[in-house]
Amino acid sequence: MAGSGTAHLRADDDVILRVEHLQVEYPAKAGLKVQAVAGISFDIRKGETLGFVGESGCGKSTTGRAVLQLPSPTAGSVLVQGKDLTKLSSRDMRRERTRLQMIFQDPMSSLNPRRRIRDSIREPLTIWGRDRGDGRQKVDQVLEQVGLDAAVVGDRFPSELSGGQCQRIAIARALIMEPALLICDEPVSALDVSVQAQILNLLEDLKEQYGLSMMFIAHDLAVVKNISDRVAVMYLGKLCEIADAETIAKRPAHPYTRELINAVPVPDPSIRRRSEQKAPAEVPSPLNPPSGCRFRTRCPRAEAVCAAEEPQFHKITDGHYVACHFPLQETPMVRTSAEPVGV
Ligand SMILES: Nc1ncnc2c1ncn2[C@@H]1O[C@H](COP(=O)(O)OP(=O)(O)OP(=O)(O)O)[C@@H](O)[C@H]1O
Ligand SMILES: [Mg+2]
């Protein structure tokens, strides 16, 4: 099947989410289809944060929503603790969705403007029959977890709070359901820079304290790499590289990952990177993606094979996988028994 393979998936009891060959198509004009997600696979372990990074339109949000079956993917499987969500009835899926909470870029839009904060956070408990008279206490507790004083914000309306406070409320509303997985889609992009760091720190603290498993989506690699254990790089509906965050930042193997790193602003403007001197190449349309490797039309290393064959994921080192015919980091040579050890 087309895709970037599954060589990077882990066989592990601790895997919370396992997505295989995920495909999402949207209908487009003239009977065409946009392949927003074109056969990707990944997994997330308990307590792990997997970051998703890539340019606008590469399919990050669609991937996050497809995990929640919003909408159901065109093909592929989404296993949460072994249960395939693509096979559930819509009724069972609604229940399952309570364990998969999502946080969005604009916190205001996820809160009812006419409902007081305390009631907004308590609402999912009530809907799902989990309020056994201790709802108010649970709300106060979860507000404290996100660094807010229930006595101060509990009776207010969203419009009376700042963007950062609203995002904390959205996180509290997700946490109260004790989710197995939290999907954060650009949770800080709409906030002031100073507030961004506070929300990122909060998410990190929650992860440490409660062993939260997270899918963290952002177009900014600098944001993603700090909060993520591993980072998955997406381009035009495909995954091109996956590795731990430090490896992605320091030893990228895919030419596209290097391009993303070079796009991160340099603190000292007198240091100009070479890639900044040329105009960025145009991103091809997902309606008509290039054959073979989708990045080849922008890739300085592309050769004939890149148009002819889609690169599959292969291992560079443990936990570091790349889908590229000519990666920047080569797979280490397998040492033969004749070679001396320790040289
Ligand atoms: N509801 C929809 N109907 C049709 N096409 C859609 C729909 N949602 C997304 N798309 C298309 O699917 C592709 C992937 O979009 P998606 O929103 O997942 O990208 P993204 O990586 O989240 O981008 P951004 O960084 O801008 O949020 C894009 O080409 C987009 O135009
Ligand atoms: Mg998006």
Side-chain angles (χ1 to χ4, degrees):
M1 126 156 245
S4 296
T6 52
H8 58 297
L9 293 181
R10 300 164 297 181
D12 193 325
D13 289 345
D14 269 356
V15 167
I16 292 259
L17 174 71
R18 187 179 171 104
V19 169
E20 283 187 68
H21 307 301
L22 185 76
Q23 246 181 61
V24 182
E25 287 175 353
Y26 292 116
K29 59 181 183 327
L32 293 170
K33 284 176 183 152
V34 177
Q35 255 205 9
V37 178
I40 69 168
S41 306
F42 59 92
D43 56 23
I44 299 182
R45 273 195 190 127
K46 177 151 182 38
E48 184 181 49
T49 298
L50 177 63
F52 279 79
V53 73
E55 289 159 325
S56 183
C58 71
K60 305 179 298 294
S61 297
T62 304
T63 302
R65 295 178 63 86
V67 169
L68 296 171
Q69 312 294 298
L70 293 170
S72 294
T74 317
S77 57
V78 177
L79 284 88
V80 173
Q81 288 165 324
K83 190 190 277 185
D84 189 350
L85 305 188
T86 64
K87 304 233 160 23
L88 295 183
S89 66
S90 51
R91 187 160 168 261
D92 288 345
M93 189 54 222
R94 271 201 301 279
R95 181 160 292 279
E96 203 61 32
R97 219 170 267 137
T98 63
R99 308 200 307 128
L100 307 166
Q101 293 289 318
M102 193 150 179
I103 293 166
F104 299 95
Q105 181 172 342
D106 177 10
M108 290 284 188
S109 67
S110 55
L111 296 170
N112 184 335
R114 285 186 290 276
R115 195 160 282 159
R116 292 183 197 280
I117 297 304
R118 198 189 302 277
D119 298 334
S120 263
I121 299 175
R122 193 168 176 170
E123 187 188 30
L125 284 183
T126 317
I127 291 174
W128 293 102
R130 295 209 205 150
D131 190 344
R132 295 176 191 90
D134 57 353
R136 190 180 168 105
Q137 201 185 326
K138 280 188 173 167
V139 171
D140 287 0
Q141 213 174 350
V142 89
L143 276 170
E144 196 187 317
Q145 283 173 12
V146 299
L148 293 173
D149 186 345
V152 176
V153 299
D155 291 325
R156 295 205 184 155
F157 291 98
S159 60
E160 297 175 287
L161 301 178
S162 68
Q165 283 174 320
C166 280
Q167 197 56 293
R168 286 175 194 266
I169 305 290
I171 295 169
R173 199 167 189 263
L175 284 183
I176 206 162
M177 298 307 282
E178 297 174 25
L181 181 75
L182 190 61
I183 302 174
C184 303
D185 189 357
E186 307 264 6
V188 299
S189 316
L191 305 174
D192 289 346
V193 175
S194 57
V195 183
Q196 287 188 2
Q198 292 169 17
I199 297 295
L200 292 172
N201 286 341
L202 169 66
L203 287 169
E204 248 175 302
D205 289 349
L206 292 170
K207 177 185 174 233
E208 293 280 309
Q209 285 173 36
Y210 305 102
L212 268 184
S213 312
M214 283 196 277
M215 186 171 164
F216 189 95
I217 297 167
H219 58 272
D220 184 350
L221 182 59
V223 168
V224 168
K225 82 169 197 277
N226 285 334
I227 196 156
S228 306
D229 298 297
R230 289 191 305 150
V231 174
V233 181
M234 270 188 100
Y235 183 79
L236 216 59
K238 297 268 185 192
L239 282 188
C240 36
E241 182 163 10
I242 190 162
D244 65 79
E246 195 185 325
T247 301
I248 287 285
K250 296 201 176 137
R251 288 182 300 284
H254 201 288
Y256 177 59
T257 311
R258 187 170 65 182
E259 201 179 295
L260 282 180
I261 291 168
N262 287 348
V264 173
V266 186
D268 179 353
S270 67
I271 306 168
R272 279 175 67 88
R273 290 197 170 110
R274 259 198 313 150
S275 66
E276 287 172 334
Q277 291 161 13
K278 58 180 193 310
E282 211 172 297
V283 183
S285 162
L287 280 171
N288 184 22
S291 63
C293 172
R294 292 185 170 201
F295 185 60
R296 70 176 166 83
T297 55
R298 285 171 59 182
C299 184
R301 296 166 79 87
E303 294 189 21
V305 66
C306 305
E309 278 175 39
E310 183 184 345
Q312 301 294 307
F313 259 132
H314 64 269
K315 185 168 157 182
I316 299 281
T317 53
D318 276 347
H320 187 185
Y321 291 83
V322 68
C324 176
H325 292 299
F326 303 102
L328 305 163
Q329 310 277 336
E330 295 295 341
T331 313
M333 288 235 295
V334 178
R335 188 170 2 94
T336 64
S337 55
E339 282 179 285
V341 178
V343 177

PDB file of all heavy atoms in Angstrom, residues 53-68:
ATOM      1  N   VAL A  53       4.673  18.486  13.221  1.00  0.00           N
ATOM      2  CA  VAL A  53       5.103  19.768  12.700  1.00  0.00           C
ATOM      3  C   VAL A  53       5.091  19.726  11.175  1.00  0.00           C
ATOM      4  O   VAL A  53       5.231  18.661  10.572  1.00  0.00           O
ATOM      5  CB  VAL A  53       6.496  20.111  13.294  1.00  0.00           C
ATOM      6  CG1 VAL A  53       7.576  19.247  12.683  1.00  0.00           C
ATOM      7  CG2 VAL A  53       6.827  21.562  13.154  1.00  0.00           C
ATOM      8  N   GLY A  54       4.875  20.871  10.566  1.00  0.00           N
ATOM      9  CA  GLY A  54       4.851  20.951   9.107  1.00  0.00           C
ATOM     10  C   GLY A  54       4.117  22.213   8.699  1.00  0.00           C
ATOM     11  O   GLY A  54       3.403  22.814   9.503  1.00  0.00           O
ATOM     12  N   GLU A  55       4.295  22.595   7.437  1.00  0.00           N
ATOM     13  CA  GLU A  55       3.694  23.855   6.964  1.00  0.00           C
ATOM     14  C   GLU A  55       2.172  23.797   6.951  1.00  0.00           C
ATOM     15  O   GLU A  55       1.580  22.718   6.948  1.00  0.00           O
ATOM     16  CB  GLU A  55       4.159  24.117   5.527  1.00  0.00           C
ATOM     17  CG  GLU A  55       5.601  24.502   5.428  1.00  0.00           C
ATOM     18  CD  GLU A  55       6.145  24.262   4.037  1.00  0.00           C
ATOM     19  OE1 GLU A  55       5.744  23.291   3.376  1.00  0.00           O
ATOM     20  OE2 GLU A  55       6.978  25.046   3.600  1.00  0.00           O
ATOM     21  N   SER A  56       1.584  24.968   6.846  1.00  0.00           N
ATOM     22  CA  SER A  56       0.136  25.082   6.769  1.00  0.00           C
ATOM     23  C   SER A  56      -0.402  24.220   5.627  1.00  0.00           C
ATOM     24  O   SER A  56       0.150  24.224   4.525  1.00  0.00           O
ATOM     25  CB  SER A  56      -0.218  26.552   6.529  1.00  0.00           C
ATOM     26  OG  SER A  56      -1.604  26.698   6.511  1.00  0.00           O
ATOM     27  N   GLY A  57      -1.457  23.469   5.921  1.00  0.00           N
ATOM     28  CA  GLY A  57      -2.100  22.654   4.890  1.00  0.00           C
ATOM     29  C   GLY A  57      -1.513  21.269   4.715  1.00  0.00           C
ATOM     30  O   GLY A  57      -1.966  20.504   3.860  1.00  0.00           O
ATOM     31  N   CYS A  58      -0.492  20.896   5.540  1.00  0.00           N
ATOM     32  CA  CYS A  58       0.141  19.582   5.344  1.00  0.00           C
ATOM     33  C   CYS A  58      -0.696  18.443   5.942  1.00  0.00           C
ATOM     34  O   CYS A  58      -0.373  17.273   5.749  1.00  0.00           O
ATOM     35  CB  CYS A  58       1.565  19.566   5.887  1.00  0.00           C
ATOM     36  SG  CYS A  58       1.652  19.602   7.679  1.00  0.00           S
ATOM     37  N   GLY A  59      -1.744  18.792   6.696  1.00  0.00           N
ATOM     38  CA  GLY A  59      -2.638  17.735   7.189  1.00  0.00           C
ATOM     39  C   GLY A  59      -2.559  17.467   8.688  1.00  0.00           C
ATOM     40  O   GLY A  59      -3.082  16.459   9.170  1.00  0.00           O
ATOM     41  N   LYS A  60      -1.950  18.359   9.445  1.00  0.00           N
ATOM     42  CA  LYS A  60      -1.795  18.131  10.899  1.00  0.00           C
ATOM     43  C   LYS A  60      -3.148  18.082  11.609  1.00  0.00           C
ATOM     44  O   LYS A  60      -3.444  17.137  12.347  1.00  0.00           O
ATOM     45  CB  LYS A  60      -0.924  19.242  11.531  1.00  0.00           C
ATOM     46  CG  LYS A  60       0.430  19.413  10.877  1.00  0.00           C
ATOM     47  CD  LYS A  60       1.225  20.530  11.512  1.00  0.00           C
ATOM     48  CE  LYS A  60       0.626  21.916  11.411  1.00  0.00           C
ATOM     49  NZ  LYS A  60       0.545  22.472  10.046  1.00  0.00           N
ATOM     50  N   SER A  61      -3.965  19.120  11.385  1.00  0.00           N
ATOM     51  CA  SER A  61      -5.268  19.157  12.062  1.00  0.00           C
ATOM     52  C   SER A  61      -6.150  18.002  11.598  1.00  0.00           C
ATOM     53  O   SER A  61      -6.856  17.388  12.401  1.00  0.00           O
ATOM     54  CB  SER A  61      -5.994  20.468  11.773  1.00  0.00           C
ATOM     55  OG  SER A  61      -5.253  21.541  12.281  1.00  0.00           O
ATOM     56  N   THR A  62      -6.095  17.715  10.306  1.00  0.00           N
ATOM     57  CA  THR A  62      -6.904  16.615   9.780  1.00  0.00           C
ATOM     58  C   THR A  62      -6.516  15.306  10.459  1.00  0.00           C
ATOM     59  O   THR A  62      -7.374  14.486  10.791  1.00  0.00           O
ATOM     60  CB  THR A  62      -6.723  16.514   8.244  1.00  0.00           C
ATOM     61  OG1 THR A  62      -7.062  17.779   7.666  1.00  0.00           O
ATOM     62  CG2 THR A  62      -7.609  15.444   7.650  1.00  0.00           C
ATOM     63  N   THR A  63      -5.213  15.116  10.703  1.00  0.00           N
ATOM     64  CA  THR A  63      -4.764  13.908  11.386  1.00  0.00           C
ATOM     65  C   THR A  63      -5.341  13.852  12.804  1.00  0.00           C
ATOM     66  O   THR A  63      -5.882  12.821  13.224  1.00  0.00           O
ATOM     67  CB  THR A  63      -3.212  13.882  11.441  1.00  0.00           C
ATOM     68  OG1 THR A  63      -2.712  13.938  10.110  1.00  0.00           O
ATOM     69  CG2 THR A  63      -2.698  12.634  12.130  1.00  0.00           C
ATOM     70  N   GLY A  64      -5.244  14.973  13.533  1.00  0.00           N
ATOM     71  CA  GLY A  64      -5.770  15.015  14.900  1.00  0.00           C
ATOM     72  C   GLY A  64      -7.259  14.735  14.926  1.00  0.00           C
ATOM     73  O   GLY A  64      -7.743  13.952  15.754  1.00  0.00           O
ATOM     74  N   ARG A  65      -7.973  15.323  13.995  1.00  0.00           N
ATOM     75  CA  ARG A  65      -9.424  15.137  13.965  1.00  0.00           C
ATOM     76  C   ARG A  65      -9.797  13.725  13.521  1.00  0.00           C
ATOM     77  O   ARG A  65     -10.790  13.162  13.991  1.00  0.00           O
ATOM     78  CB  ARG A  65     -10.069  16.181  13.051  1.00  0.00           C
ATOM     79  CG  ARG A  65      -9.893  17.612  13.575  1.00  0.00           C
ATOM     80  CD  ARG A  65     -10.489  18.633  12.630  1.00  0.00           C
ATOM     81  NE  ARG A  65     -11.934  18.433  12.513  1.00  0.00           N
ATOM     82  CZ  ARG A  65     -12.828  18.954  13.347  1.00  0.00           C
ATOM     83  NH1 ARG A  65     -12.426  19.718  14.338  1.00  0.00           N
ATOM     84  NH2 ARG A  65     -14.110  18.714  13.190  1.00  0.00           N
ATOM     85  N   ALA A  66      -8.991  13.154  12.646  1.00  0.00           N
ATOM     86  CA  ALA A  66      -9.282  11.796  12.176  1.00  0.00           C
ATOM     87  C   ALA A  66      -9.128  10.775  13.303  1.00  0.00           C
ATOM     88  O   ALA A  66      -9.816   9.758  13.332  1.00  0.00           O
ATOM     89  CB  ALA A  66      -8.372  11.429  11.002  1.00  0.00           C
ATOM     90  N   VAL A  67      -8.227  11.065  14.253  1.00  0.00           N
ATOM     91  CA  VAL A  67      -8.094  10.179  15.420  1.00  0.00           C
ATOM     92  C   VAL A  67      -9.431  10.148  16.164  1.00  0.00           C
ATOM     93  O   VAL A  67      -9.901   9.107  16.612  1.00  0.00           O
ATOM     94  CB  VAL A  67      -6.943  10.649  16.341  1.00  0.00           C
ATOM     95  CG1 VAL A  67      -6.967   9.922  17.679  1.00  0.00           C
ATOM     96  CG2 VAL A  67      -5.594  10.455  15.658  1.00  0.00           C
ATOM     97  N   LEU A  68     -10.069  11.311  16.255  1.00  0.00           N
ATOM     98  CA  LEU A  68     -11.373  11.421  16.926  1.00  0.00           C
ATOM     99  C   LEU A  68     -12.535  11.007  16.018  1.00  0.00           C
ATOM    100  O   LEU A  68     -13.691  11.155  16.390  1.00  0.00           O
ATOM    101  CB  LEU A  68     -11.603  12.871  17.358  1.00  0.00           C
ATOM    102  CG  LEU A  68     -10.665  13.449  18.395  1.00  0.00           C
ATOM    103  CD1 LEU A  68     -10.887  14.934  18.547  1.00  0.00           C
ATOM    104  CD2 LEU A  68     -10.891  12.760  19.724  1.00  0.00           C
TER     105      LEU A  68
END
